[in-house]
Amino acid sequence: GAGKAAETTKIPIKAQDAVYARDTLCKWLYAMLFAWLVKQINACLLTKAESRATISVLDIFGFEVFLVNSFEQLCINFANEKLQGHFNACIFKQEQEIYIREAIKWTPIDEPDNEECISMLEQKASQGVSPGIFHILDEQCRLNNATDAQFTRKVYEAHGSCRALGRPRLGGRNASKSSTGEGLTADEAFVVRHYAGEVTYCTATFLDKNNNVLHADLEQVVISSE
């Protein structure tokens, strides 16, 4: 009613949850700023004049492989994988098709194909087709009491026969720079054979990181700030 004092409710959260909320806010601000910057650049480059001569630049993401690779590295390396696939299609496949069509003599190039790796990561589930790793992760995040180990097992169940998927090597805990993931079990990690090389991904915190949704209160604080 009129004159009723506003109520404030404080909900304590764990320190780790606060860290996730902070990181999510930073990522959200970065994404919004990046989208705005791209929009401004495109507006500056926009021209009404008809132009047939163009120059295109394909910027390949930096491939990341560390002693410990997590969800962030998988996202970055997936973007790299997609760009590499586009590069292969434009430079190798399309050019060779032109040579065949124009009857130009040439030596065929047996370029490695990364379509199997891309499909394993991103494909949607359909009849006879298992969901990709990212979709499996989303599915697990929607379940109550799901764990990172359970997600990892689901990955092997869906793609155990895929040539782009491997298991971590048993051994000492000190994983080498070649990303062998020694010492990690099949419940703790999986190996992706990328175009650029093998990477062992430690799946601890995968579910938490994929669930990082910006809290409405934080969004409102940013929107109302001056």
Side-chain angles (χ1 to χ4, degrees):
K4 185 178 179 180
E7 295 182 357
T8 301
T9 302
K10 292 185 178 181
I11 303 176
I13 62 175
K14 298 178 181 179
Q16 188 59 54
D17 292 336
V19 170
Y20 287 149
R22 177 203 63 193
D23 293 348
T24 301
L25 176 60
C26 292
K27 293 174 184 177
W28 181 79
L29 288 172
Y30 179 86
M32 296 294 288
L33 178 60
F34 186 82
W36 177 85
L37 182 61
V38 171
K39 183 178 180 180
Q40 299 304 310
I41 292 174
N42 287 338
C44 292
L45 296 176
L46 184 64
T47 175
K48 295 182 179 179
E50 183 178 353
S51 176
R52 297 185 181 278
T54 62
I55 297 177
S56 299
V57 177
L58 177 62
D59 184 11
I60 298 292
F61 273 50
F63 186 74
E64 290 195 353
V65 51
F66 304 122
L67 293 179
V68 178
N69 303 286
S70 189
F71 182 64
E72 296 87 348
Q73 281 68 52
L74 181 61
C75 293
I76 291 171
N77 291 340
F78 170 62
N80 179 283
E81 200 74 51
K82 290 281 287 185
L83 287 171
Q84 185 66 58
H86 177 72
F87 178 84
N88 289 350
C90 292
I91 301 300
F92 297 107
K93 294 180 182 178
Q94 292 181 12
E95 284 297 318
Q96 294 185 68
E97 289 172 0
I98 293 175
Y99 287 3
I100 293 173
R101 187 166 58 249
E102 298 182 359
I104 299 175
K105 292 184 178 181
W106 57 290
T107 302
I109 300 175
D110 185 18
E111 186 66 22
D113 193 337
N114 66 343
E115 285 301 317
E116 186 173 11
C117 180
I118 292 175
S119 297
M120 181 188 71
L121 291 169
E122 73 166 0
Q123 70 187 12
K124 294 181 179 179
S126 61
Q127 187 174 3
V129 177
S130 299
I133 290 177
F134 285 113
H135 290 287
I136 294 174
L137 181 58
D138 288 340
E139 290 174 359
Q140 292 299 305
C141 286
R142 288 192 289 267
L143 300 177
N144 293 326
N145 302 320
T147 65
D148 295 312
Q150 181 178 323
F151 156 68
T152 310
R153 288 192 292 269
K154 291 291 184 181
V155 169
Y156 288 115
E157 289 175 10
H159 302 287
S161 62
C162 181
R163 292 174 298 178
L165 182 70
R167 293 176 180 268
R169 300 179 186 177
L170 298 178
R173 274 281 168 183
N174 296 322
S176 71
K177 192 65 178 178
S178 62
S179 183
T180 59
E182 293 181 348
L184 295 171
T185 69
D187 283 346
E188 298 174 314
F190 58 83
V191 178
V192 176
R193 297 186 177 100
H194 290 286
Y195 185 90
E198 290 189 4
V199 179
T200 299
Y201 295 99
C202 178
T203 54
T205 72
F206 258 52
L207 268 66
D208 286 335
K209 290 176 178 179
N210 192 53
N211 267 331
N212 269 357
V213 178
L214 183 66
H215 197 281
D217 289 345
L218 286 177
E219 184 176 357
Q220 188 57 41
V221 167
V222 176
I223 293 175
S224 61
S225 63
E226 296 181 358

